[in-house]
Amino acid sequence: MNGKIWFIIPVYNRKGPITSLLECIHKQTYKNYHVIVVDHGQSTVFDEYEWKIRSDGLFTSCNENSNTKITRIRDLPKSFHWTAAINNGIKYLQSEIHLSSDDYIMFNNDDTIFQKNYLQAMMDCANKYKKTIIGSICAESGSDKILYANLPLNKVKATFEYPYFGTKISNLPNKELYSDVLKGRNAMSPANVFKDIGLLAEKKLPQNRADHEISFRARKFGYKIVIATNAGNIRSEEHTSELQSQK
């Protein structure tokens, strides 16, 4: 299976971090992808970088032909939070693109980077499992320590745990890990998930926890959640203290 990976990347009033992310995507060994940038801030913030990626030839931008690698959705309500921006990207794909049953949709925050074989490893993992959402390890930028991997549910405490938080990446088991929910950062879902269970809960969860809720809802519908440990890790600018406050 050689499905297309559709990135959805919300951008809100900053262009710096996404520069590294788009260049990272451009260097991937797996080339069957398309990037949807959902710009829900002041549209002028991203204009300079959009011009740069056109002139540098990193992507053919905004012309909707077979060679297009990036599409920018703009002029959205400034009141949009992360969940609404992600939903807008999904709605665009569902209405404007003929998605294949082999296609995947990957949520991305603009502050992540990953190794050049990352997408290939994620797709290799997806090919091993049917009806499965694929996640990956997240490490803090500048560190070899894990922010999160799998998130199992502690039914006694009614909370999701971070069993590998602070663990060195080299100490992870050499196998896929099962999880009860996923963080939204780099979650790769079969495109059919959103036909089966609908969109993210943007009214109830406009900014946080909508990623947990949609993945938990998918599990209840019969999807598995697997962490592809062999995909390496994504690096995040998210501070450890911020993550601890969410635990």
Side-chain angles (χ1 to χ4, degrees):
M1 185 169 62
N2 191 34
K4 178 170 283 190
I5 298 173
W6 297 88
F7 288 91
I8 299 179
I9 308 173
V11 176
Y12 186 79
N13 288 352
R14 63 179 185 175
K15 66 184 179 199
I18 199 173
T19 304
S20 298
L21 173 58
L22 291 178
E23 290 174 350
C24 174
I25 294 171
H26 178 66
K27 294 175 182 177
Q28 290 296 298
T29 58
Y30 189 87
K31 297 298 184 182
N32 193 11
Y33 62 79
H34 187 114
V35 177
I36 308 293
V37 174
V38 184
D39 188 351
H40 61 115
Q42 297 174 1
S43 59
T44 55
V45 172
F46 194 69
D47 286 345
E48 180 183 340
Y49 189 67
E50 183 178 36
W51 177 86
K52 181 180 185 300
I53 61 178
R54 289 186 190 188
S55 61
D56 289 354
L58 288 181
F59 298 94
T60 302
S61 183
C62 303
N63 60 8
E64 297 305 326
N65 62 35
S66 60
N67 295 319
T68 299
K69 286 292 187 180
I70 184 168
T71 298
R72 178 186 178 196
I73 302 173
R74 58 189 298 178
D75 299 323
L76 299 174
K78 303 302 185 291
S79 59
F80 270 20
H81 292 285
W82 181 87
T83 310
I86 290 289
N87 278 347
N88 197 273
I90 297 171
K91 290 175 185 177
Y92 170 83
L93 291 177
Q94 291 178 335
S95 63
E96 302 295 330
I97 305 297
H98 179 68
L99 293 171
S100 163
S101 60
D102 293 335
D103 286 355
Y104 283 80
I105 296 175
M106 179 181 282
F107 303 161
N108 280 84
N109 286 11
D110 62 1
D111 61 350
T112 56
I113 58 173
F114 33 83
Q115 296 91 335
K116 66 180 181 179
N117 65 337
Y118 174 78
L119 292 185
Q120 183 63 63
M122 291 288 280
M123 187 57 74
D124 288 345
C125 184
N127 287 337
K128 289 176 61 177
Y129 300 92
K130 294 187 181 294
K131 207 173 180 181
T132 301
I133 302 172
I134 310 298
S136 51
I137 305 160
C138 182
E140 189 174 18
S141 181
S143 170
D144 64 346
K145 292 185 178 180
I146 294 169
L147 290 174
Y148 57 83
N150 62 330
L151 302 177
L153 173 64
N154 184 321
K155 295 182 178 179
V156 175
K157 296 181 179 180
T159 186
F160 296 104
E161 297 185 332
Y162 292 68
Y164 293 101
F165 178 75
T167 302
K168 289 187 177 181
I169 295 170
S170 58
N171 292 336
L172 267 180
N174 187 25
K175 62 179 181 180
E176 289 91 3
L177 301 171
Y178 287 92
S179 188
D180 288 315
V181 295
L182 277 181
K183 289 285 228 174
R185 184 182 280 106
N186 287 60
M188 191 176 86
S189 304
N192 284 340
V193 166
F194 307 101
K195 290 182 181 179
D196 291 338
I197 66 172
L199 301 174
L200 283 71
E202 64 181 80
K203 291 184 178 180
K204 292 184 177 180
L205 300 166
Q207 184 65 28
N208 296 317
R209 306 296 188 186
D211 46 3
H212 285 192
E213 191 277 333
I214 189 76
S215 54
F216 192 72
R217 191 169 5 126
R219 277 196 71 243
K220 291 176 67 177
F221 194 85
Y223 285 87
K224 298 183 182 70
I225 300 176
V226 172
I227 308 300
T229 56
N230 65 337
N233 60 84
I234 56 175
R235 297 282 171 170
S236 171
E237 297 298 330
E238 180 178 45
H239 296 297
T240 303
S241 58
E242 291 176 354
L243 181 67
Q244 286 177 318
S245 69
Q246 298 177 34
K247 290 171 63 176

